[in-house]
């Protein structure tokens, strides 16, 4: 089963912390997106972090079994 992942980007500007969240379909997509966006953020804001958090919501095939005749 595949679960949604949330990419959390956190950074601080002049003592104020900002957080952004992006929902992605699976872990590889989240990691790929993080690898693309985080270096840009880090170059501008050294006090920053990015992480992929797995949710409990399925993004792949259904959880329920298929109906049988």
């Amino acid at each position: 089963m595949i679960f949604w992942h949330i990419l959390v980007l956190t950074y601080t500007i002049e003592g104020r912390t900002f957080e952004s969240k992006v929902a992605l379909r699976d872990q590889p997509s989240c990691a790929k997106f993080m690898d693309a966006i985080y270096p840009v953020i880090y170059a501008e804001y050294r006090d920053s972090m990015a992480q992929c958090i797995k949710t409990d919501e399925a993004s792949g095939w259904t959880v329920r079994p298929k109906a049988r005749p």
Side-chain angles (χ1 to χ4, degrees):
M1 183 176 322
I2 301 170
F3 293 93
W4 286 100
H5 282 69
I6 305 296
L7 173 60
V8 180
L9 301 164
T10 307
Y11 50 96
T12 303
I13 303 172
E14 296 179 4
R16 196 163 167 212
T17 301
F18 296 88
E19 183 178 273
S20 299
K21 296 179 182 177
V22 180
L24 295 149
R25 185 171 176 82
D26 53 24
Q27 175 62 33
S29 298
C30 190
K32 186 176 179 181
F33 191 74
M34 181 172 57
D35 289 345
I37 193 85
Y38 185 65
V40 176
I41 293 171
Y42 185 75
E44 192 69 29
Y45 309 108
R46 295 287 186 187
D47 188 13
S48 62
M49 108 174 167
Q51 62 182 337
C52 291
I53 300 173
K54 183 179 175 183
T55 67
D56 293 334
E57 295 293 322
S59 64
W61 51 275
T62 181
V63 177
R64 292 180 274 160
K66 293 182 179 179
R68 308 236 187 256

